[in-house]
Structures are given as structure tokens and as C-alpha cells.
PDB file of all heavy atoms in Angstrom:
ATOM      1  N   MET A   1       7.373  -5.449  -8.640  1.00  0.00           N
ATOM      2  CA  MET A   1       6.012  -4.971  -8.359  1.00  0.00           C
ATOM      3  C   MET A   1       6.059  -3.920  -7.239  1.00  0.00           C
ATOM      4  O   MET A   1       5.433  -2.825  -7.363  1.00  0.00           O
ATOM      5  CB  MET A   1       5.106  -6.126  -7.956  1.00  0.00           C
ATOM      6  CG  MET A   1       3.689  -5.730  -7.666  1.00  0.00           C
ATOM      7  SD  MET A   1       2.759  -6.952  -6.701  1.00  0.00           S
ATOM      8  CE  MET A   1       3.486  -6.827  -5.103  1.00  0.00           C
ATOM      9  N   LEU A   2       6.718  -4.255  -6.149  1.00  0.00           N
ATOM     10  CA  LEU A   2       6.753  -3.352  -5.003  1.00  0.00           C
ATOM     11  C   LEU A   2       7.443  -2.028  -5.367  1.00  0.00           C
ATOM     12  O   LEU A   2       6.993  -0.939  -4.961  1.00  0.00           O
ATOM     13  CB  LEU A   2       7.503  -4.011  -3.830  1.00  0.00           C
ATOM     14  CG  LEU A   2       6.778  -5.231  -3.232  1.00  0.00           C
ATOM     15  CD1 LEU A   2       7.732  -5.989  -2.298  1.00  0.00           C
ATOM     16  CD2 LEU A   2       5.478  -4.865  -2.559  1.00  0.00           C
ATOM     17  N   GLU A   3       8.506  -2.097  -6.137  1.00  0.00           N
ATOM     18  CA  GLU A   3       9.194  -0.880  -6.570  1.00  0.00           C
ATOM     19  C   GLU A   3       8.332  -0.076  -7.499  1.00  0.00           C
ATOM     20  O   GLU A   3       8.397   1.226  -7.439  1.00  0.00           O
ATOM     21  CB  GLU A   3      10.525  -1.242  -7.233  1.00  0.00           C
ATOM     22  CG  GLU A   3      11.596  -1.741  -6.285  1.00  0.00           C
ATOM     23  CD  GLU A   3      12.894  -1.995  -6.961  1.00  0.00           C
ATOM     24  OE1 GLU A   3      12.983  -1.943  -8.221  1.00  0.00           O
ATOM     25  OE2 GLU A   3      13.888  -2.228  -6.216  1.00  0.00           O
ATOM     26  N   THR A   4       7.521  -0.665  -8.322  1.00  0.00           N
ATOM     27  CA  THR A   4       6.667   0.063  -9.234  1.00  0.00           C
ATOM     28  C   THR A   4       5.603   0.781  -8.429  1.00  0.00           C
ATOM     29  O   THR A   4       5.262   1.962  -8.768  1.00  0.00           O
ATOM     30  CB  THR A   4       5.999  -0.899 -10.262  1.00  0.00           C
ATOM     31  OG1 THR A   4       7.024  -1.600 -10.992  1.00  0.00           O
ATOM     32  CG2 THR A   4       5.101  -0.166 -11.226  1.00  0.00           C
ATOM     33  N   ILE A   5       5.071   0.160  -7.407  1.00  0.00           N
ATOM     34  CA  ILE A   5       4.052   0.843  -6.567  1.00  0.00           C
ATOM     35  C   ILE A   5       4.734   1.965  -5.784  1.00  0.00           C
ATOM     36  O   ILE A   5       4.248   3.111  -5.730  1.00  0.00           O
ATOM     37  CB  ILE A   5       3.373  -0.174  -5.613  1.00  0.00           C
ATOM     38  CG1 ILE A   5       2.602  -1.212  -6.421  1.00  0.00           C
ATOM     39  CG2 ILE A   5       2.487   0.589  -4.598  1.00  0.00           C
ATOM     40  CD1 ILE A   5       2.112  -2.331  -5.582  1.00  0.00           C
ATOM     41  N   ASP A   6       5.887   1.700  -5.171  1.00  0.00           N
ATOM     42  CA  ASP A   6       6.581   2.671  -4.337  1.00  0.00           C
ATOM     43  C   ASP A   6       6.944   3.914  -5.162  1.00  0.00           C
ATOM     44  O   ASP A   6       6.843   5.054  -4.669  1.00  0.00           O
ATOM     45  CB  ASP A   6       7.839   2.016  -3.807  1.00  0.00           C
ATOM     46  CG  ASP A   6       8.546   2.920  -2.800  1.00  0.00           C
ATOM     47  OD1 ASP A   6       7.970   3.237  -1.771  1.00  0.00           O
ATOM     48  OD2 ASP A   6       9.742   3.212  -3.041  1.00  0.00           O
ATOM     49  N   SER A   7       7.369   3.711  -6.369  1.00  0.00           N
ATOM     50  CA  SER A   7       7.846   4.826  -7.214  1.00  0.00           C
ATOM     51  C   SER A   7       6.787   5.384  -8.175  1.00  0.00           C
ATOM     52  O   SER A   7       7.034   6.233  -8.983  1.00  0.00           O
ATOM     53  CB  SER A   7       9.009   4.371  -8.097  1.00  0.00           C
ATOM     54  OG  SER A   7       8.650   3.327  -8.953  1.00  0.00           O
ATOM     55  N   CYS A   8       5.527   4.925  -7.969  1.00  0.00           N
ATOM     56  CA  CYS A   8       4.446   5.437  -8.822  1.00  0.00           C
ATOM     57  C   CYS A   8       4.406   6.952  -8.671  1.00  0.00           C
ATOM     58  O   CYS A   8       4.397   7.504  -7.562  1.00  0.00           O
ATOM     59  CB  CYS A   8       3.127   4.847  -8.303  1.00  0.00           C
ATOM     60  SG  CYS A   8       1.626   5.528  -9.120  1.00  0.00           S
ATOM     61  N   PRO A   9       4.362   7.694  -9.769  1.00  0.00           N
ATOM     62  CA  PRO A   9       4.481   9.152  -9.664  1.00  0.00           C
ATOM     63  C   PRO A   9       3.285   9.786  -8.951  1.00  0.00           C
ATOM     64  O   PRO A   9       3.468  10.821  -8.295  1.00  0.00           O
ATOM     65  CB  PRO A   9       4.590   9.625 -11.117  1.00  0.00           C
ATOM     66  CG  PRO A   9       4.039   8.482 -11.925  1.00  0.00           C
ATOM     67  CD  PRO A   9       4.391   7.237 -11.201  1.00  0.00           C
ATOM     68  N   ALA A  10       2.124   9.204  -9.043  1.00  0.00           N
ATOM     69  CA  ALA A  10       0.939   9.758  -8.361  1.00  0.00           C
ATOM     70  C   ALA A  10       0.928   9.224  -6.916  1.00  0.00           C
ATOM     71  O   ALA A  10       1.387   8.110  -6.632  1.00  0.00           O
ATOM     72  CB  ALA A  10      -0.309   9.339  -9.093  1.00  0.00           C
ATOM     73  N   PRO A  11       0.397   9.994  -5.976  1.00  0.00           N
ATOM     74  CA  PRO A  11       0.239   9.516  -4.644  1.00  0.00           C
ATOM     75  C   PRO A  11      -0.624   8.286  -4.593  1.00  0.00           C
ATOM     76  O   PRO A  11      -1.640   8.173  -5.289  1.00  0.00           O
ATOM     77  CB  PRO A  11      -0.432  10.686  -3.900  1.00  0.00           C
ATOM     78  CG  PRO A  11      -0.071  11.899  -4.700  1.00  0.00           C
ATOM     79  CD  PRO A  11      -0.010  11.412  -6.147  1.00  0.00           C
ATOM     80  N   VAL A  12      -0.240   7.280  -3.767  1.00  0.00           N
ATOM     81  CA  VAL A  12      -0.968   6.018  -3.599  1.00  0.00           C
ATOM     82  C   VAL A  12      -1.560   5.951  -2.210  1.00  0.00           C
ATOM     83  O   VAL A  12      -0.852   6.053  -1.221  1.00  0.00           O
ATOM     84  CB  VAL A  12      -0.021   4.857  -3.895  1.00  0.00           C
ATOM     85  CG1 VAL A  12      -0.792   3.505  -3.713  1.00  0.00           C
ATOM     86  CG2 VAL A  12       0.548   4.903  -5.278  1.00  0.00           C
ATOM     87  N   ILE A  13      -2.890   5.673  -2.174  1.00  0.00           N
ATOM     88  CA  ILE A  13      -3.571   5.515  -0.887  1.00  0.00           C
ATOM     89  C   ILE A  13      -3.943   4.039  -0.767  1.00  0.00           C
ATOM     90  O   ILE A  13      -4.610   3.464  -1.712  1.00  0.00           O
ATOM     91  CB  ILE A  13      -4.885   6.348  -0.857  1.00  0.00           C
ATOM     92  CG1 ILE A  13      -4.531   7.854  -1.005  1.00  0.00           C
ATOM     93  CG2 ILE A  13      -5.620   6.123   0.466  1.00  0.00           C
ATOM     94  CD1 ILE A  13      -5.790   8.697  -1.180  1.00  0.00           C
ATOM     95  N   ALA A  14      -3.566   3.424   0.340  1.00  0.00           N
ATOM     96  CA  ALA A  14      -3.988   2.043   0.602  1.00  0.00           C
ATOM     97  C   ALA A  14      -5.221   2.029   1.529  1.00  0.00           C
ATOM     98  O   ALA A  14      -5.204   2.677   2.578  1.00  0.00           O
ATOM     99  CB  ALA A  14      -2.846   1.284   1.269  1.00  0.00           C
ATOM    100  N   ARG A  15      -6.214   1.349   1.114  1.00  0.00           N
ATOM    101  CA  ARG A  15      -7.480   1.210   1.891  1.00  0.00           C
ATOM    102  C   ARG A  15      -7.450  -0.211   2.478  1.00  0.00           C
ATOM    103  O   ARG A  15      -7.653  -1.199   1.754  1.00  0.00           O
ATOM    104  CB  ARG A  15      -8.699   1.424   0.986  1.00  0.00           C
ATOM    105  CG  ARG A  15     -10.059   1.236   1.631  1.00  0.00           C
ATOM    106  CD  ARG A  15     -11.134   1.098   0.609  1.00  0.00           C
ATOM    107  NE  ARG A  15     -12.467   1.061   1.178  1.00  0.00           N
ATOM    108  CZ  ARG A  15     -12.945  -0.044   1.722  1.00  0.00           C
ATOM    109  NH1 ARG A  15     -12.287  -1.155   1.754  1.00  0.00           N
ATOM    110  NH2 ARG A  15     -14.206  -0.020   2.230  1.00  0.00           N
ATOM    111  N   VAL A  16      -7.158  -0.288   3.785  1.00  0.00           N
ATOM    112  CA  VAL A  16      -6.788  -1.603   4.375  1.00  0.00           C
ATOM    113  C   VAL A  16      -7.878  -2.050   5.387  1.00  0.00           C
ATOM    114  O   VAL A  16      -8.256  -1.314   6.277  1.00  0.00           O
ATOM    115  CB  VAL A  16      -5.442  -1.462   5.087  1.00  0.00           C
ATOM    116  CG1 VAL A  16      -4.936  -2.842   5.575  1.00  0.00           C
ATOM    117  CG2 VAL A  16      -4.371  -0.821   4.199  1.00  0.00           C
ATOM    118  N   GLN A  17      -8.275  -3.313   5.207  1.00  0.00           N
ATOM    119  CA  GLN A  17      -9.220  -3.909   6.141  1.00  0.00           C
ATOM    120  C   GLN A  17      -8.902  -5.412   6.368  1.00  0.00           C
ATOM    121  O   GLN A  17      -8.195  -6.014   5.554  1.00  0.00           O
ATOM    122  CB  GLN A  17     -10.658  -3.734   5.611  1.00  0.00           C
ATOM    123  CG  GLN A  17     -11.106  -4.813   4.602  1.00  0.00           C
ATOM    124  CD  GLN A  17     -10.559  -4.678   3.270  1.00  0.00           C
ATOM    125  OE1 GLN A  17      -9.789  -3.759   2.929  1.00  0.00           O
ATOM    126  NE2 GLN A  17     -10.857  -5.627   2.361  1.00  0.00           N
ATOM    127  N   GLY A  18      -9.453  -5.975   7.442  1.00  0.00           N
ATOM    128  CA  GLY A  18      -9.314  -7.404   7.647  1.00  0.00           C
ATOM    129  C   GLY A  18      -7.968  -7.829   8.027  1.00  0.00           C
ATOM    130  O   GLY A  18      -7.606  -7.839   9.224  1.00  0.00           O
ATOM    131  N   HIS A  19      -7.146  -8.186   7.076  1.00  0.00           N
ATOM    132  CA  HIS A  19      -5.804  -8.658   7.284  1.00  0.00           C
ATOM    133  C   HIS A  19      -4.855  -8.096   6.277  1.00  0.00           C
ATOM    134  O   HIS A  19      -5.195  -7.958   5.090  1.00  0.00           O
ATOM    135  CB  HIS A  19      -5.700 -10.215   7.232  1.00  0.00           C
ATOM    136  CG  HIS A  19      -6.429 -10.906   8.302  1.00  0.00           C
ATOM    137  ND1 HIS A  19      -7.770 -11.213   8.139  1.00  0.00           N
ATOM    138  CD2 HIS A  19      -6.073 -11.319   9.499  1.00  0.00           C
ATOM    139  CE1 HIS A  19      -8.197 -11.822   9.291  1.00  0.00           C
ATOM    140  NE2 HIS A  19      -7.155 -11.901  10.117  1.00  0.00           N
ATOM    141  N   ALA A  20      -3.639  -7.757   6.725  1.00  0.00           N
ATOM    142  CA  ALA A  20      -2.486  -7.365   5.836  1.00  0.00           C
ATOM    143  C   ALA A  20      -1.347  -8.152   6.402  1.00  0.00           C
ATOM    144  O   ALA A  20      -0.711  -7.704   7.389  1.00  0.00           O
ATOM    145  CB  ALA A  20      -2.283  -5.849   5.879  1.00  0.00           C
ATOM    146  N   LEU A  21      -1.032  -9.230   5.776  1.00  0.00           N
ATOM    147  CA  LEU A  21      -0.055 -10.190   6.315  1.00  0.00           C
ATOM    148  C   LEU A  21       1.096 -10.340   5.312  1.00  0.00           C
ATOM    149  O   LEU A  21       0.874 -10.391   4.141  1.00  0.00           O
ATOM    150  CB  LEU A  21      -0.669 -11.526   6.617  1.00  0.00           C
ATOM    151  CG  LEU A  21      -1.979 -11.539   7.492  1.00  0.00           C
ATOM    152  CD1 LEU A  21      -2.492 -12.948   7.613  1.00  0.00           C
ATOM    153  CD2 LEU A  21      -1.708 -10.884   8.836  1.00  0.00           C
ATOM    154  N   GLY A  22       2.319 -10.476   5.796  1.00  0.00           N
ATOM    155  CA  GLY A  22       3.458 -10.748   4.936  1.00  0.00           C
ATOM    156  C   GLY A  22       3.566  -9.685   3.837  1.00  0.00           C
ATOM    157  O   GLY A  22       3.687  -8.509   4.054  1.00  0.00           O
ATOM    158  N   GLY A  23       3.433 -10.211   2.616  1.00  0.00           N
ATOM    159  CA  GLY A  23       3.505  -9.277   1.428  1.00  0.00           C
ATOM    160  C   GLY A  23       2.403  -8.251   1.430  1.00  0.00           C
ATOM    161  O   GLY A  23       2.551  -7.182   0.862  1.00  0.00           O
ATOM    162  N   GLY A  24       1.271  -8.567   2.105  1.00  0.00           N
ATOM    163  CA  GLY A  24       0.230  -7.542   2.265  1.00  0.00           C
ATOM    164  C   GLY A  24       0.684  -6.335   3.025  1.00  0.00           C
ATOM    165  O   GLY A  24       0.344  -5.216   2.758  1.00  0.00           O
ATOM    166  N   CYS A  25       1.533  -6.573   4.074  1.00  0.00           N
ATOM    167  CA  CYS A  25       2.147  -5.513   4.827  1.00  0.00           C
ATOM    168  C   CYS A  25       3.121  -4.743   3.905  1.00  0.00           C
ATOM    169  O   CYS A  25       3.310  -3.502   4.023  1.00  0.00           O
ATOM    170  CB  CYS A  25       2.932  -6.028   6.032  1.00  0.00           C
ATOM    171  SG  CYS A  25       1.968  -6.148   7.531  1.00  0.00           S
ATOM    172  N   GLY A  26       3.755  -5.469   2.967  1.00  0.00           N
ATOM    173  CA  GLY A  26       4.650  -4.839   1.995  1.00  0.00           C
ATOM    174  C   GLY A  26       3.910  -3.853   1.144  1.00  0.00           C
ATOM    175  O   GLY A  26       4.352  -2.772   0.839  1.00  0.00           O
ATOM    176  N   LEU A  27       2.686  -4.230   0.664  1.00  0.00           N
ATOM    177  CA  LEU A  27       1.863  -3.305  -0.070  1.00  0.00           C
ATOM    178  C   LEU A  27       1.485  -2.060   0.697  1.00  0.00           C
ATOM    179  O   LEU A  27       1.514  -0.954   0.206  1.00  0.00           O
ATOM    180  CB  LEU A  27       0.588  -3.997  -0.543  1.00  0.00           C
ATOM    181  CG  LEU A  27       0.657  -5.031  -1.641  1.00  0.00           C
ATOM    182  CD1 LEU A  27      -0.690  -5.685  -1.874  1.00  0.00           C
ATOM    183  CD2 LEU A  27       1.181  -4.401  -2.948  1.00  0.00           C
ATOM    184  N   VAL A  28       1.131  -2.220   2.002  1.00  0.00           N
ATOM    185  CA  VAL A  28       0.826  -1.080   2.823  1.00  0.00           C
ATOM    186  C   VAL A  28       2.053  -0.148   2.938  1.00  0.00           C
ATOM    187  O   VAL A  28       1.962   1.069   2.799  1.00  0.00           O
ATOM    188  CB  VAL A  28       0.395  -1.551   4.188  1.00  0.00           C
ATOM    189  CG1 VAL A  28       0.151  -0.366   5.124  1.00  0.00           C
ATOM    190  CG2 VAL A  28      -0.876  -2.357   4.120  1.00  0.00           C
ATOM    191  N   ALA A  29       3.223  -0.779   3.127  1.00  0.00           N
ATOM    192  CA  ALA A  29       4.465   0.011   3.273  1.00  0.00           C
ATOM    193  C   ALA A  29       4.844   0.775   2.017  1.00  0.00           C
ATOM    194  O   ALA A  29       5.443   1.838   2.065  1.00  0.00           O
ATOM    195  CB  ALA A  29       5.610  -0.907   3.712  1.00  0.00           C
ATOM    196  N   CYS A  30       4.483   0.228   0.854  1.00  0.00           N
ATOM    197  CA  CYS A  30       4.794   0.891  -0.438  1.00  0.00           C
ATOM    198  C   CYS A  30       3.856   2.077  -0.700  1.00  0.00           C
ATOM    199  O   CYS A  30       4.149   2.880  -1.605  1.00  0.00           O
ATOM    200  CB  CYS A  30       4.675  -0.107  -1.573  1.00  0.00           C
ATOM    201  SG  CYS A  30       6.017  -1.270  -1.636  1.00  0.00           S
ATOM    202  N   SER A  31       2.787   2.119  -0.030  1.00  0.00           N
ATOM    203  CA  SER A  31       1.763   3.206  -0.279  1.00  0.00           C
ATOM    204  C   SER A  31       2.202   4.469   0.412  1.00  0.00           C
ATOM    205  O   SER A  31       2.888   4.462   1.447  1.00  0.00           O
ATOM    206  CB  SER A  31       0.397   2.789   0.195  1.00  0.00           C
ATOM    207  OG  SER A  31       0.015   1.588  -0.423  1.00  0.00           O
ATOM    208  N   ASP A  32       1.845   5.608  -0.173  1.00  0.00           N
ATOM    209  CA  ASP A  32       2.186   6.896   0.455  1.00  0.00           C
ATOM    210  C   ASP A  32       1.363   7.173   1.695  1.00  0.00           C
ATOM    211  O   ASP A  32       1.821   7.741   2.671  1.00  0.00           O
ATOM    212  CB  ASP A  32       1.963   8.046  -0.572  1.00  0.00           C
ATOM    213  CG  ASP A  32       2.895   7.824  -1.822  1.00  0.00           C
ATOM    214  OD1 ASP A  32       4.104   7.829  -1.597  1.00  0.00           O
ATOM    215  OD2 ASP A  32       2.343   7.667  -2.918  1.00  0.00           O
ATOM    216  N   ILE A  33       0.085   6.778   1.645  1.00  0.00           N
ATOM    217  CA  ILE A  33      -0.834   7.000   2.745  1.00  0.00           C
ATOM    218  C   ILE A  33      -1.624   5.722   2.912  1.00  0.00           C
ATOM    219  O   ILE A  33      -2.125   5.160   1.932  1.00  0.00           O
ATOM    220  CB  ILE A  33      -1.820   8.172   2.433  1.00  0.00           C
ATOM    221  CG1 ILE A  33      -1.068   9.453   2.047  1.00  0.00           C
ATOM    222  CG2 ILE A  33      -2.734   8.481   3.652  1.00  0.00           C
ATOM    223  CD1 ILE A  33      -1.929  10.553   1.473  1.00  0.00           C
ATOM    224  N   ALA A  34      -1.676   5.270   4.178  1.00  0.00           N
ATOM    225  CA  ALA A  34      -2.442   4.057   4.445  1.00  0.00           C
ATOM    226  C   ALA A  34      -3.481   4.277   5.517  1.00  0.00           C
ATOM    227  O   ALA A  34      -3.214   4.823   6.593  1.00  0.00           O
ATOM    228  CB  ALA A  34      -1.497   2.940   4.955  1.00  0.00           C
ATOM    229  N   ILE A  35      -4.762   3.970   5.193  1.00  0.00           N
ATOM    230  CA  ILE A  35      -5.859   4.087   6.121  1.00  0.00           C
ATOM    231  C   ILE A  35      -6.401   2.715   6.384  1.00  0.00           C
ATOM    232  O   ILE A  35      -6.677   1.988   5.491  1.00  0.00           O
ATOM    233  CB  ILE A  35      -6.984   5.001   5.482  1.00  0.00           C
ATOM    234  CG1 ILE A  35      -6.446   6.332   5.129  1.00  0.00           C
ATOM    235  CG2 ILE A  35      -8.160   5.141   6.470  1.00  0.00           C
ATOM    236  CD1 ILE A  35      -7.474   7.250   4.449  1.00  0.00           C
ATOM    237  N   ALA A  36      -6.548   2.356   7.673  1.00  0.00           N
ATOM    238  CA  ALA A  36      -6.962   1.039   8.045  1.00  0.00           C
ATOM    239  C   ALA A  36      -8.212   1.049   8.933  1.00  0.00           C
ATOM    240  O   ALA A  36      -8.428   1.993   9.722  1.00  0.00           O
ATOM    241  CB  ALA A  36      -5.797   0.307   8.792  1.00  0.00           C
ATOM    242  N   ALA A  37      -8.981   0.014   8.782  1.00  0.00           N
ATOM    243  CA  ALA A  37     -10.096  -0.196   9.723  1.00  0.00           C
ATOM    244  C   ALA A  37      -9.537  -0.540  11.066  1.00  0.00           C
ATOM    245  O   ALA A  37      -8.507  -1.207  11.201  1.00  0.00           O
ATOM    246  CB  ALA A  37     -11.026  -1.347   9.194  1.00  0.00           C
TER     247      ALA A  37
END
């Protein structure tokens, strides 16, 4: 799953709020651009 997001051909923007814990941080790291509250 993480590799599929990381290698997604289109740019990926993560819209992050509240908590990003454990694997949630992994999702943020896989995104090309991360914007957080």
C-alpha cells in the first residue's frame, strides 16, 4: 500500500489534521506534498 502511494504517477497531496501516528506518519511520508493544521 505504501509503495503504491509513494510511486503513484500523479502528485499526491496529504491534507493532515488532528493526529498522524505510526502508520499515519507513514502515509504523510509517502505523499509528495503534506499540508498540516
Side-chain angles (χ1 to χ4, degrees):
M1 179 197 76
L2 295 169
E3 287 185 350
T4 302
I5 297 171
D6 186 61
S7 63
C8 174
V12 177
I13 302 171
R15 180 194 183 281
V16 187
Q17 85 287 355
H19 295 87
L21 309 177
C25 271
L27 285 177
V28 176
C30 287
S31 302
D32 299 299
I33 307 168
I35 303 176

